[in-house]
Amino acid sequence: MTNTNVSARKRNTILWGGALLLVGVFLLLVNQHALDPYAPTWQYVVAALCGLGGIAFLILFVRDVVHWWPIIPAFTLLTVGVIIFLTTQTAAVVGEVLGSILFFGIALAFAVIFLLDRNRWWAIIPMGVLLLVSATTALSTFQVSSDVLSATLFIGMGFVFLLVYLLGPHKREVWWALVPATALVAFGLFTFVFSKATGDLQLTVVSWWPALLVLLGVFLLVRGVAMLGGRTLPAADLTLPSLPAPGELPAAPSTAVIHPQDNTATSVTPSAPPSPPAAPPLLEPEPAAPADAETPS
Protein backbone atom coordinates (compact mmCIF):
# COMPACT_ATOMS: atom_id res chain seq x y z
CA MET A 1 0.00 0.00 0.00
CA THR A 2 1.47 3.35 -1.07
CA ASN A 3 1.74 6.44 1.09
CA THR A 4 -0.98 8.13 -0.97
CA ASN A 5 -3.49 5.36 -0.27
CA VAL A 6 -2.64 5.39 3.44
CA SER A 7 -3.12 9.14 3.70
CA ALA A 8 -6.41 8.97 1.76
CA ARG A 9 -7.65 6.21 4.04
CA LYS A 10 -6.78 8.22 7.15
CA ARG A 11 -8.48 11.31 5.72
CA ASN A 12 -11.66 9.37 4.91
CA THR A 13 -11.69 7.88 8.41
CA ILE A 14 -11.48 11.34 9.96
CA LEU A 15 -14.24 12.70 7.69
CA TRP A 16 -16.64 9.83 8.40
CA GLY A 17 -15.88 9.98 12.11
CA GLY A 18 -16.59 13.70 12.23
CA ALA A 19 -19.80 13.26 10.23
CA LEU A 20 -21.08 10.54 12.56
CA LEU A 21 -20.23 12.66 15.58
CA LEU A 22 -22.18 15.66 14.27
CA VAL A 23 -25.18 13.54 13.28
CA GLY A 24 -25.24 11.85 16.69
CA VAL A 25 -25.15 15.16 18.56
CA PHE A 26 -27.87 16.59 16.33
CA LEU A 27 -30.19 13.61 16.86
CA LEU A 28 -29.65 13.79 20.61
CA LEU A 29 -30.68 17.46 20.60
CA VAL A 30 -33.79 16.64 18.56
CA ASN A 31 -34.82 13.76 20.83
CA GLN A 32 -34.33 15.90 23.94
CA HIS A 33 -36.48 18.68 22.38
CA ALA A 34 -33.63 21.14 22.79
CA LEU A 35 -34.27 22.59 19.31
CA ASP A 36 -38.02 23.08 19.68
CA PRO A 37 -37.73 26.83 20.45
CA TYR A 38 -35.92 27.32 17.14
CA ALA A 39 -38.43 25.44 14.94
CA PRO A 40 -38.98 25.59 12.02
CA THR A 41 -35.77 27.51 11.35
CA TRP A 42 -33.48 24.63 12.23
CA GLN A 43 -35.54 22.32 10.01
CA TYR A 44 -35.02 24.59 7.00
CA VAL A 45 -31.29 24.76 7.74
CA VAL A 46 -30.93 20.97 8.05
CA ALA A 47 -33.00 20.38 4.88
CA ALA A 48 -30.77 22.82 2.98
CA LEU A 49 -27.61 21.18 4.31
CA CYS A 50 -28.88 17.73 3.26
CA GLY A 51 -29.68 19.06 -0.20
CA LEU A 52 -26.24 20.62 -0.58
CA GLY A 53 -24.60 17.42 0.64
CA GLY A 54 -26.54 15.38 -1.92
CA ILE A 55 -25.53 17.75 -4.71
CA ALA A 56 -21.89 17.52 -3.59
CA PHE A 57 -21.95 13.73 -3.84
CA LEU A 58 -23.53 13.96 -7.30
CA ILE A 59 -20.74 16.27 -8.42
CA LEU A 60 -18.22 13.82 -7.00
CA PHE A 61 -19.81 11.04 -9.05
CA VAL A 62 -19.89 13.10 -12.26
CA ARG A 63 -16.18 13.82 -11.93
CA ASP A 64 -15.39 10.10 -11.72
CA VAL A 65 -18.24 7.96 -13.07
CA VAL A 66 -16.23 4.76 -12.64
CA HIS A 67 -16.89 4.86 -8.89
CA TRP A 68 -20.65 4.56 -8.45
CA TRP A 69 -20.81 4.64 -4.64
CA PRO A 70 -21.47 8.46 -4.33
CA ILE A 71 -24.88 7.89 -5.92
CA ILE A 72 -26.19 6.17 -2.76
CA PRO A 73 -25.38 8.93 -0.22
CA ALA A 74 -26.42 11.55 -2.79
CA PHE A 75 -29.96 10.20 -3.19
CA THR A 76 -30.19 9.43 0.54
CA LEU A 77 -29.32 12.99 1.57
CA LEU A 78 -31.63 14.50 -1.05
CA THR A 79 -34.49 12.30 0.15
CA VAL A 80 -33.87 13.17 3.80
CA GLY A 81 -33.87 16.84 2.89
CA VAL A 82 -37.23 16.45 1.16
CA ILE A 83 -38.67 14.60 4.16
CA ILE A 84 -37.52 17.29 6.62
CA PHE A 85 -38.97 19.99 4.39
CA LEU A 86 -42.32 18.16 4.21
CA THR A 87 -42.54 18.05 8.01
CA THR A 88 -42.42 21.85 8.07
CA GLN A 89 -45.28 22.23 5.60
CA THR A 90 -47.87 19.95 7.16
CA ALA A 91 -48.26 17.92 10.30
CA ALA A 92 -50.70 15.47 8.68
CA VAL A 93 -47.96 13.38 7.10
CA VAL A 94 -47.71 10.20 9.16
CA GLY A 95 -44.46 8.45 9.93
CA GLU A 96 -45.24 5.48 7.65
CA VAL A 97 -45.51 7.78 4.63
CA LEU A 98 -42.22 9.47 5.46
CA GLY A 99 -40.56 6.08 5.82
CA SER A 100 -42.01 5.02 2.49
CA ILE A 101 -40.55 8.13 0.84
CA LEU A 102 -37.12 7.39 2.35
CA PHE A 103 -37.06 3.80 1.06
CA PHE A 104 -38.24 4.97 -2.35
CA GLY A 105 -35.45 7.55 -2.61
CA ILE A 106 -32.74 5.03 -1.76
CA ALA A 107 -34.26 2.59 -4.27
CA LEU A 108 -33.88 5.24 -6.96
CA ALA A 109 -30.13 5.31 -6.26
CA PHE A 110 -29.77 1.60 -7.07
CA ALA A 111 -32.00 2.05 -10.13
CA VAL A 112 -29.61 4.70 -11.46
CA ILE A 113 -26.62 2.45 -10.73
CA PHE A 114 -28.17 -0.32 -12.83
CA LEU A 115 -29.31 1.94 -15.67
CA LEU A 116 -25.83 3.42 -16.06
CA ASP A 117 -24.32 -0.04 -16.51
CA ARG A 118 -26.50 -3.08 -17.26
CA ASN A 119 -23.71 -5.38 -16.10
CA ARG A 120 -24.48 -4.27 -12.54
CA TRP A 121 -27.54 -6.51 -12.45
CA TRP A 122 -27.01 -7.06 -8.73
CA ALA A 123 -28.38 -3.54 -8.11
CA ILE A 124 -31.84 -4.83 -9.11
CA ILE A 125 -32.07 -6.82 -5.85
CA PRO A 126 -31.66 -3.92 -3.36
CA MET A 127 -33.70 -1.69 -5.66
CA GLY A 128 -36.60 -4.14 -5.73
CA VAL A 129 -36.42 -4.89 -2.00
CA LEU A 130 -36.47 -1.20 -1.09
CA LEU A 131 -39.36 -0.52 -3.47
CA LEU A 132 -41.24 -3.44 -1.96
CA VAL A 133 -40.64 -2.21 1.59
CA SER A 134 -41.75 1.26 0.50
CA ALA A 135 -44.97 -0.13 -0.98
CA THR A 136 -45.84 -2.31 2.01
CA THR A 137 -45.10 0.57 4.40
CA ALA A 138 -47.48 2.80 2.45
CA LEU A 139 -50.14 0.06 2.32
CA SER A 140 -50.03 -0.29 6.11
CA THR A 141 -51.54 3.20 6.41
CA PHE A 142 -54.72 2.04 4.66
CA GLN A 143 -55.61 -0.58 7.29
CA VAL A 144 -54.68 -3.47 5.01
CA SER A 145 -54.80 -6.87 6.69
CA SER A 146 -51.58 -8.58 7.70
CA ASP A 147 -52.34 -11.55 5.41
CA VAL A 148 -52.46 -9.30 2.36
CA LEU A 149 -49.25 -7.55 3.42
CA SER A 150 -47.49 -10.90 3.86
CA ALA A 151 -48.64 -12.13 0.48
CA THR A 152 -47.60 -8.84 -1.12
CA LEU A 153 -44.16 -9.13 0.47
CA PHE A 154 -43.48 -12.68 -0.75
CA ILE A 155 -44.95 -12.21 -4.23
CA GLY A 156 -43.10 -8.91 -4.62
CA MET A 157 -39.81 -10.56 -3.68
CA GLY A 158 -40.48 -13.22 -6.28
CA PHE A 159 -40.99 -10.57 -8.95
CA VAL A 160 -37.74 -8.90 -7.88
CA PHE A 161 -35.79 -12.07 -8.72
CA LEU A 162 -37.80 -12.42 -11.91
CA LEU A 163 -36.62 -8.94 -12.90
CA VAL A 164 -33.04 -10.07 -12.23
CA TYR A 165 -33.51 -12.80 -14.83
CA LEU A 166 -35.38 -10.63 -17.35
CA LEU A 167 -33.10 -7.58 -17.14
CA GLY A 168 -29.79 -9.38 -16.65
CA PRO A 169 -27.47 -8.98 -19.65
CA HIS A 170 -26.45 -12.65 -19.70
CA LYS A 171 -29.22 -15.16 -19.03
CA ARG A 172 -26.74 -17.97 -18.32
CA GLU A 173 -25.29 -16.00 -15.41
CA VAL A 174 -28.64 -15.19 -13.76
CA TRP A 175 -30.70 -18.32 -14.49
CA TRP A 176 -30.62 -19.15 -10.77
CA ALA A 177 -32.93 -16.19 -10.11
CA LEU A 178 -35.85 -18.22 -11.47
CA VAL A 179 -35.59 -20.63 -8.51
CA PRO A 180 -36.24 -18.11 -5.70
CA ALA A 181 -38.69 -16.26 -7.96
CA THR A 182 -40.86 -19.37 -8.40
CA ALA A 183 -40.62 -20.37 -4.74
CA LEU A 184 -41.46 -16.91 -3.37
CA VAL A 185 -44.39 -16.33 -5.73
CA ALA A 186 -45.79 -19.79 -4.98
CA PHE A 187 -45.45 -19.25 -1.23
CA GLY A 188 -47.04 -15.81 -1.49
CA LEU A 189 -50.01 -17.19 -3.38
CA PHE A 190 -50.27 -20.01 -0.87
CA THR A 191 -50.29 -17.51 2.02
CA PHE A 192 -53.00 -15.41 0.38
CA VAL A 193 -55.22 -18.34 -0.61
CA PHE A 194 -54.82 -20.06 2.76
CA SER A 195 -55.89 -16.89 4.55
CA LYS A 196 -59.06 -16.76 2.46
CA ALA A 197 -59.86 -20.49 2.52
CA THR A 198 -62.96 -21.39 4.53
CA GLY A 199 -64.51 -24.56 3.07
CA ASP A 200 -63.18 -28.11 3.14
CA LEU A 201 -62.59 -28.14 -0.62
CA GLN A 202 -60.53 -24.97 -0.50
CA LEU A 203 -58.46 -26.26 2.40
CA THR A 204 -57.83 -29.51 0.49
CA VAL A 205 -56.69 -27.63 -2.59
CA VAL A 206 -54.40 -25.45 -0.52
CA SER A 207 -52.87 -28.46 1.23
CA TRP A 208 -51.90 -29.95 -2.15
CA TRP A 209 -50.14 -26.85 -3.51
CA PRO A 210 -46.62 -28.39 -3.07
CA ALA A 211 -47.55 -30.70 -5.96
CA LEU A 212 -46.79 -27.72 -8.22
CA LEU A 213 -43.21 -27.76 -6.96
CA VAL A 214 -43.00 -31.49 -7.62
CA LEU A 215 -44.20 -31.00 -11.21
CA LEU A 216 -41.74 -28.17 -11.71
CA GLY A 217 -38.91 -30.34 -10.40
CA VAL A 218 -39.85 -33.20 -12.72
CA PHE A 219 -39.95 -30.80 -15.66
CA LEU A 220 -36.47 -29.49 -14.90
CA LEU A 221 -35.07 -32.99 -14.45
CA VAL A 222 -36.55 -34.22 -17.74
CA ARG A 223 -35.27 -31.17 -19.55
CA GLY A 224 -31.79 -31.57 -18.09
CA VAL A 225 -31.61 -35.25 -19.05
CA ALA A 226 -32.84 -34.44 -22.56
CA MET A 227 -30.17 -31.76 -22.96
CA LEU A 228 -27.47 -34.19 -21.89
CA GLY A 229 -28.79 -36.91 -24.18
CA GLY A 230 -28.76 -34.61 -27.18
CA ARG A 231 -24.98 -34.29 -27.08
CA THR A 232 -23.41 -37.00 -29.31
CA LEU A 233 -19.93 -38.34 -28.69
CA PRO A 234 -17.76 -40.29 -31.19
CA ALA A 235 -18.10 -44.06 -31.05
CA ALA A 236 -15.23 -45.94 -29.49
CA ASP A 237 -12.93 -47.83 -31.88
CA LEU A 238 -12.31 -51.30 -30.37
CA THR A 239 -10.17 -52.71 -33.23
CA LEU A 240 -6.57 -53.48 -32.39
CA PRO A 241 -3.97 -51.57 -34.38
CA SER A 242 -1.88 -53.60 -36.81
CA LEU A 243 1.79 -54.05 -36.08
CA PRO A 244 4.16 -52.10 -38.32
CA ALA A 245 6.39 -53.96 -40.77
CA PRO A 246 10.08 -54.33 -40.00
CA GLY A 247 11.81 -51.02 -40.60
CA GLU A 248 8.48 -49.10 -40.78
CA LEU A 249 7.56 -46.37 -38.29
CA PRO A 250 4.31 -46.90 -36.36
CA ALA A 251 1.35 -44.72 -37.32
CA ALA A 252 0.69 -41.69 -35.14
CA PRO A 253 -2.39 -42.08 -32.91
CA SER A 254 -5.45 -40.00 -33.80
CA THR A 255 -7.31 -37.76 -31.36
CA ALA A 256 -11.06 -37.01 -31.38
CA VAL A 257 -11.94 -33.30 -31.08
CA ILE A 258 -15.51 -32.54 -29.93
CA HIS A 259 -17.32 -29.45 -31.27
CA PRO A 260 -20.09 -28.53 -28.76
CA GLN A 261 -21.62 -26.00 -31.16
CA ASP A 262 -23.02 -28.61 -33.54
CA ASN A 263 -22.52 -31.78 -31.45
CA THR A 264 -20.01 -33.28 -33.90
CA ALA A 265 -16.53 -34.72 -33.56
CA THR A 266 -13.60 -34.88 -35.94
CA SER A 267 -10.52 -37.07 -35.87
CA VAL A 268 -7.22 -35.23 -35.89
CA THR A 269 -3.96 -37.05 -36.59
CA PRO A 270 -0.83 -35.20 -35.60
CA SER A 271 1.91 -35.00 -38.16
CA ALA A 272 4.59 -37.63 -37.89
CA PRO A 273 7.98 -36.50 -36.59
CA PRO A 274 10.66 -36.03 -39.23
CA SER A 275 12.85 -39.03 -40.02
CA PRO A 276 16.32 -38.94 -38.52
CA PRO A 277 19.11 -38.06 -40.96
CA ALA A 278 20.95 -40.92 -42.61
CA ALA A 279 24.16 -42.02 -40.96
CA PRO A 280 27.33 -41.00 -42.81
CA PRO A 281 29.17 -43.86 -44.61
CA LEU A 282 31.94 -45.56 -42.73
CA LEU A 283 35.42 -44.72 -43.97
CA GLU A 284 37.84 -47.64 -44.48
CA PRO A 285 41.21 -47.19 -42.76
CA GLU A 286 44.14 -46.45 -45.03
CA PRO A 287 46.84 -49.20 -45.25
CA ALA A 288 49.99 -48.52 -43.25
CA ALA A 289 53.06 -47.48 -45.24
CA PRO A 290 55.94 -50.13 -45.40
CA ALA A 291 58.91 -49.55 -43.17
CA ASP A 292 61.95 -48.03 -44.87
CA ALA A 293 64.85 -50.40 -45.54
CA GLU A 294 67.94 -50.03 -43.44
CA THR A 295 70.65 -48.06 -45.17
CA PRO A 296 74.15 -49.65 -45.25
CA SER A 297 76.73 -47.99 -43.07
Side-chain angles (χ1 to χ4, degrees):
M1 185 178 294
T2 62
N3 295 330
T4 304
N5 294 333
V6 173
S7 60
R9 185 175 180 180
K10 292 181 179 179
R11 183 173 62 253
N12 293 334
T13 303
I14 295 174
L15 291 176
W16 283 110
L20 291 176
L21 176 63
L22 293 176
V23 171
V25 172
F26 168 74
L27 293 178
L28 284 175
L29 293 175
V30 172
N31 292 337
Q32 300 301 322
H33 304 283
L35 299 178
D36 290 349
Y38 307 100
T41 304
W42 71 267
Q43 294 169 318
Y44 291 132
V45 172
V46 174
L49 290 176
C50 290
L52 292 176
I55 294 174
F57 276 106
L58 286 179
I59 295 175
L60 181 63
F61 168 72
V62 172
R63 293 179 60 183
D64 188 6
V65 295
V66 176
H67 299 88
W68 49 264
W69 65 266
I71 299 177
I72 300 176
F75 276 81
T76 303
L77 289 174
L78 291 174
T79 306
V80 171
V82 171
I83 291 174
I84 296 176
F85 178 77
L86 288 177
T87 58
T88 62
Q89 302 302 311
T90 178
V93 182
V94 296
E96 288 81 1
V97 175
L98 297 178
S100 178
I101 295 174
L102 177 62
F103 291 127
F104 181 78
I106 303 175
L108 287 181
F110 288 98
V112 172
I113 292 174
F114 169 72
L115 293 177
L116 291 177
D117 188 355
R118 295 298 181 91
N119 290 322
R120 302 177 185 140
W121 53 265
W122 52 264
I124 300 176
I125 299 177
M127 177 197 70
V129 171
L130 290 170
L131 287 177
L132 185 60
V133 174
S134 175
T136 52
T137 305
L139 286 176
S140 63
T141 61
F142 296 99
Q143 304 299 325
V144 180
S145 63
S146 59
D147 298 330
V148 175
L149 290 178
S150 300
T152 303
L153 182 64
F154 285 109
I155 295 176
M157 286 292 297
F159 278 103
V160 168
F161 284 100
L162 182 61
L163 284 177
V164 171
Y165 177 77
L166 295 177
L167 300 180
H170 306 290
K171 296 296 185 293
R172 292 185 178 181
E173 295 181 358
V174 294
W175 66 267
W176 54 266
L178 294 177
V179 178
T182 305
L184 288 169
V185 171
F187 189 77
L189 293 176
F190 162 75
T191 303
F192 179 76
V193 174
F194 186 78
S195 64
K196 302 299 181 181
T198 55
D200 295 336
L201 179 61
Q202 292 176 328
L203 292 175
T204 303
V205 172
V206 170
S207 64
W208 280 92
W209 77 268
L212 296 176
L213 300 180
V214 175
L215 294 177
L216 179 61
V218 172
F219 169 75
L220 293 177
L221 288 175
V222 172
R223 183 179 179 183
V225 173
M227 293 175 64
L228 290 177
R231 186 172 180 177
T232 58
L233 297 177
D237 187 5
L238 301 180
T239 58
L240 296 176
S242 57
L243 297 177
E248 182 182 357
L249 294 176
S254 60
T255 304
V257 178
I258 301 173
H259 304 282
Q261 295 83 2
D262 51 1
N263 292 331
T264 58
T266 56
S267 179
V268 177
T269 302
S271 58
S275 302
L282 298 177
L283 299 177
E284 297 180 357
E286 297 180 355
D292 295 336
E294 294 182 358
T295 56
S297 56

